[in-house]
Amino acid sequence: MNSIILYTITSLCSISILAGVILYYIAKKFKVVEDPRIDEVNEVLPGVNCGGCGYAGCRNFAEACVKAKDLDTLFCPVGGNKCMNEVAKVLGIEVVEKEAMVAVVRCNGSYQNRPRTSIYDGTTWCKIVHNLYVGETGCSFGCLGLGDCVKSCKFDAISIDEVTGLPVVDEKKCVACGACVKACPRLLIELRLKGKANRRIFVSCSNTEKGGIARKNCVAACIGCGKCVKVCPFGAIEMRENLAYIDYKKCKLCRKCVTECPTKAIHEINFPPKLSNPKLADEIKVKEIKS
Ligand code: SF4
Ligand code: SF4
């Protein structure tokens, strides 16, 4: 009886030792040596894991930076140029600075501009309502106001204005991570250049219906009249399915389109009030564009 117990214990010990040796050998043989620069790059990243860089988290982004030949297509919107310079320093390469971006909301269908046609009392998610029906107004393109964009923002940079019912972006807090862009089921939010002196101009409407129908549902809708396209001296505006779109790379912020738009669908941000003397205003504009 004793010899059976002894035999069992000896066998189990031998098997354990053998398994340990095999596992040790396998671990040594197939050990993945991680580039130590991944940790160094990860250290200089903000660590918020927002996904704005296009990767699942900061560490994945650090791995991509280390593997890449250059940083031309890689950018951390939260850390910005300062952070990317740090990353470049760790990797011993050069990086070209990128211009700052910010989220803009392409809908001006406020409570005042868009008449309510029904009252909604259900789930509080835009993405669900978007799949259920047109919304509380006749515009099937406009903001649903339930704040999926607000819920998605990790930087508390977007909120729903109680007076208008529309999202408002706080440009000081927005890091252009793009989470709200992905969250909006109506594709109303766009990342655009923050612009010179933080000034920018964009069409605050996403309705591609014909002018009459768009206007019937919202007095601030783009009606596709094309007046802005004709007046823009820089060819920065094009019509896309009845809807004007301003290319922020071509726009020189002259504001001619803003004045021309009959429905005030084109918004200007952070501009000083217009001067009453149009000749003087034009001279200042030309000077600003040249500088
Ligand atoms: S912008 Fe889009 S996500 Fe935000 S409240 Fe409006 S419909 Fe919802
Ligand atoms: S407003 Fe949008 S882009 Fe800006 S930080 Fe919030 S989620 Fe990101």
Side-chain angles (χ1 to χ4, degrees), residues 16 32 39 47 66 82 105 111 117-118 131 142 155 160 191-192 198-199 201 207 209 214 220 256 269 277:
S16 311
V32 178
D39 279 335
V66 170
K82 194 166 166 248
V105 181
Y111 294 136
T117 52
S118 61
N131 288 320
F155 303 93
I160 300 288
L191 295 182
R192 293 179 70 93
N198 285 345
R199 291 177 189 169
I201 291 175
N207 193 329
E209 283 169 311
K256 282 185 191 286
I269 308 279
N277 180 342

Side-chain angles (χ1 to χ4, degrees), residues 196-201 234 251-255 268-275 280-291:
K196 205 172 169 188
N198 285 345
R199 291 177 189 169
R200 52 200 169 273
I201 291 175
F234 306 101
C251 172
K252 304 273 187 234
L253 308 175
C254 73
R255 297 202 271 173
E268 52 178 34
I269 308 279
N270 292 335
F271 282 84
K274 283 199 176 78
L275 293 176
L280 183 61
D282 271 351
E283 277 170 20
I284 291 174
K285 243 181 268 163
V286 170
K287 264 191 205 156
E288 279 186 357
I289 290 167
K290 279 184 183 164
S291 68

